[in-house]
Amino acid sequence: LGEASTVSWCYPDRAVARIGLGQYQAAIADCDLLLKISSEDAAVHYLRGIALERAHNSHQAQKEFALSRNMGSSMRWDLPAGNDR
């Protein structure tokens, strides 16, 4: 596997884990890296929206959700509540 393939395979799971741990900025960074590889990935935009929303950036989160929907996604992930500190 190449580096891009490894990143695209591992980082979504890591971003989900980081959201569950309340590490929202780290989850956003993982999503940013994934979007550099594939900017048209609706799932990553949706996941980034969740992290942004949990980080209290509702305006930007709504933009990410809209991008995801415009790409045809109807995702509804059931993520852990997170650790809001």
Side-chain angles (χ1 to χ4, degrees):
L1 292 175
E3 184 178 344
S5 178
T6 301
V7 168
S8 64
W9 184 77
C10 296
Y11 277 48
D13 291 339
R14 188 169 89 167
V16 169
R18 286 178 163 177
I19 290 170
L21 293 170
Q23 299 172 357
Y24 308 124
Q25 295 306 317
I28 293 165
D30 285 349
C31 291
D32 290 345
L33 180 59
L34 286 163
L35 291 170
K36 285 182 183 177
I37 295 168
S38 177
S39 64
E40 299 299 315
D41 191 328
V44 176
H45 282 287
Y46 188 79
L47 185 57
R48 189 172 189 276
I50 291 171
L52 285 161
E53 188 173 63
R54 300 267 177 94
H56 306 290
N57 188 343
S58 177
H59 180 72
Q60 189 62 38
Q62 293 307 313
K63 288 182 179 182
E64 293 295 330
F65 293 143
L67 278 170
S68 180
R69 274 192 308 275
N70 290 341
M71 292 175 184
S73 175
S74 60
M75 303 189 110
R76 295 289 179 265
W77 286 2
D78 217 4
L79 294 176
N83 189 3
D84 292 330
R85 294 180 192 184

